[in-house]
Amino acid sequence: MTEKKNQIYEGKAKKVYATDDPYLYIVSYKDDATAFNGEKRGQIAGKGIVNNTMTNIIFKIIGENGVPTHFVKQLDDRDTIVRAVTILPLEVIIRNVAAGSFSKRYGVPEGTALLRPTLEFSYKKDELGDPLINDDHALALGLIDEGQLAQVKTYTHKINEILKGFFLGKGLKLIDFKIEFGTDNKTGEVILADEISPDTCRLWDVVTNEKMDKDRFRRDLGNVEETYQEVFARVGGRAEGDNY
Ligand code: TMP
């Protein structure tokens, strides 16, 4: 049986534990929420359960569609066994519709449709506030190699197509999202890691355009917990106490 051993990492929303198998970790999702590089802090009750289960539902679909992921097995509401990876220090963002920092940076109103899915990278470095970085910068700094970069881009566009259709079927427009990749510690292959959840996606209701994601927390829009539960119900999440 795979069990948690020593904690090897604690992030803003998750803890990662080693197991007896050096090639497997257990991730444990917390209710902690931060925004603006940790300046705003709070809790969203039940978020860990929503994000754990929702990520796993989505990672299974992505895996079935040919993009390898770190998902192995959900243990309970908050804990999941994953393949041990070394995270590439790049946040990979795709935007379908202008919002957030893109709107601010380029002076484009939120909600403006983009002519094509737009990929961008941020350098994962909290001290610097995760700055925008381009391909050349990332290659010059040795953050990723050319083969990995090409793989990440191909996978990310494919994931965008899968997710757009998936969320549309749940009455949600996928405005943008952030994902992270890692290299599998056993095989070296680039695989999808981290999470896909209302923390890491912008999702707007198709009918009302209501924000159904972490922007409710970031921007103090209210109904934060209720919104996470609504998204969870729409994606077919399971109730607390279910067996996995
Ligand atoms: P942005 O418009 O603030 O750059 O955010 C783009 C997308 O990335 C949005 O879906 C929210 C997500 N995101 C994260 O998952 N983590 C972060 O730290 C930030 C800043 C954004």
Side-chain angles (χ1 to χ4, degrees):
M1 199 175 124
T2 309
E3 287 176 352
K4 286 181 199 165
K5 299 290 169 187
N6 54 310
Q7 183 180 306
I8 52 177
Y9 174 78
E10 177 160 12
K12 298 189 188 97
K14 296 187 285 296
K15 293 178 181 179
V16 181
Y17 295 87
T19 68
D20 278 335
D21 183 332
Y23 298 115
L24 294 177
Y25 291 158
I26 292 174
V27 288
S28 188
Y29 285 70
K30 306 186 284 186
D31 286 349
D32 296 348
T34 64
F36 316 120
N37 200 17
E39 263 173 52
K40 180 181 171 80
R41 288 167 187 276
Q43 292 249 320
I44 301 172
K47 174 171 85 79
I49 298 171
V50 172
N51 289 4
N52 181 36
T53 308
M54 180 167 162
T55 294
N56 294 337
I57 290 169
I58 291 173
F59 275 33
K60 273 184 232 168
I61 295 168
I62 288 172
E64 285 158 13
N65 281 277
V67 177
T69 83
H70 74 171
F71 175 75
V72 176
K73 184 179 192 289
Q74 184 159 342
L75 290 175
D76 58 35
D77 280 345
R78 290 178 186 273
D79 292 356
T80 292
I81 304 173
V82 298
R83 289 157 70 179
V85 299
T86 303
I87 293 283
L88 294 166
L90 294 172
E91 298 194 341
V92 187
I93 294 156
I94 283 252
R95 301 178 186 273
N96 297 305
V97 174
S101 67
F102 184 96
S103 286
K104 209 177 262 179
R105 194 182 320 125
Y106 301 117
V108 186
E110 286 207 321
T112 307
L114 299 176
L115 298 178
R116 43 182 275 170
T118 304
L119 191 149
E120 72 187 41
F121 296 113
S122 294
Y123 181 21
K124 270 173 69 75
K125 218 169 180 42
D126 281 341
E127 314 90 272
L128 301 177
D130 297 343
L132 192 66
I133 191 168
N134 73 17
D135 297 25
D136 273 9
H137 299 155
L139 291 167
L141 292 171
L143 307 180
I144 193 165
D145 69 33
E146 292 208 32
Q148 292 169 333
L149 184 63
Q151 189 74 267
V152 160
K153 287 185 175 184
T154 304
Y155 283 160
T156 301
H157 282 288
K158 181 140 190 216
I159 291 166
N160 185 43
E161 293 310 311
I162 297 165
L163 292 183
K164 272 197 291 188
F166 172 78
F167 283 121
L168 209 53
K170 315 295 179 189
L172 296 164
K173 262 189 284 190
L174 180 62
I175 304 302
D176 58 32
F177 63 95
K178 184 269 302 182
I179 50 180
E180 297 184 20
F181 291 88
T183 50
D184 187 307
N185 288 353
K186 193 176 191 174
T187 65
E189 69 173 322
V190 172
I191 65 176
L192 180 66
D194 195 48
E195 67 179 275
I196 295 180
S197 72
D199 273 17
T200 62
C201 300
R202 283 197 174 92
L203 301 165
W204 295 0
D205 184 89
V206 275
V207 178
T208 64
N209 271 339
E210 201 180 340
K211 293 178 174 39
M212 304 288 288
D213 56 62
K214 194 176 168 190
D215 273 347
R216 302 204 74 82
F217 169 81
R218 296 188 187 98
R219 303 178 186 190
D220 297 318
L221 300 176
N223 291 330
V224 181
E225 275 89 3
E226 293 81 352
T227 299
Y228 274 73
Q229 293 302 327
E230 169 67 21
V231 172
F232 193 41
R234 289 199 199 184
V235 304
R238 290 188 258 199
E240 217 168 328
D242 275 2
N243 294 319
Y244 292 95

